[in-house]
Amino acid sequence: VHGEMVWLNDSCMALDRSVPPEALIGAHLWDFPHFSREAAAWLRHATAEAAAGRFIRGEVPFVGPMGRLTLDFGFTPLF
């Protein structure tokens, strides 16, 4: 993974059907259009922490067509 988190499939469509899957597959997780700048920064930070071998967990706000949600993320390093 080398410190990057990308969409691999269209599972993100459960969150927002207004964004075509081809616009996200291969893009960074934090580039999803409904994450705020602060949420995107936390997702980048969490990815870097996991890449450095540390577990990190947090809640991230998400505002989309379904309204405001809080997503619970846990990042675990892969060895």
Side-chain angles (χ1 to χ4, degrees), residues 51-67:
R54 292 179 286 279
F55 172 79
I56 187 167
R57 183 175 180 183
E59 294 181 344
V60 177
F62 175 90
V63 181
M66 301 167 295

Side-chain angles (χ1 to χ4, degrees), residues 4 11-12 14 16 19 23 26 29 34 38 54 56 60 62 68 72 78:
E4 294 188 21
S11 65
C12 60
D16 184 358
V19 179
L29 173 65
H34 299 301
E38 294 82 11
R54 292 179 286 279
I56 187 167
V60 177
F62 175 90
R68 183 175 176 83
D72 183 16
L78 301 175

Side-chain angles (χ1 to χ4, degrees), residues 8-50:
L8 297 177
N9 58 46
D10 64 358
S11 65
C12 60
M13 300 313 293
L15 294 175
D16 184 358
R17 295 203 178 276
S18 70
V19 179
E22 57 273 7
L24 293 175
I25 295 173
H28 291 106
L29 173 65
W30 48 83
D31 289 333
F32 198 83
H34 299 301
F35 287 122
S36 68
R37 284 191 198 126
E38 294 82 11
W42 185 88
L43 290 165
R44 284 191 300 273
H45 166 74
T47 301
E49 288 291 304

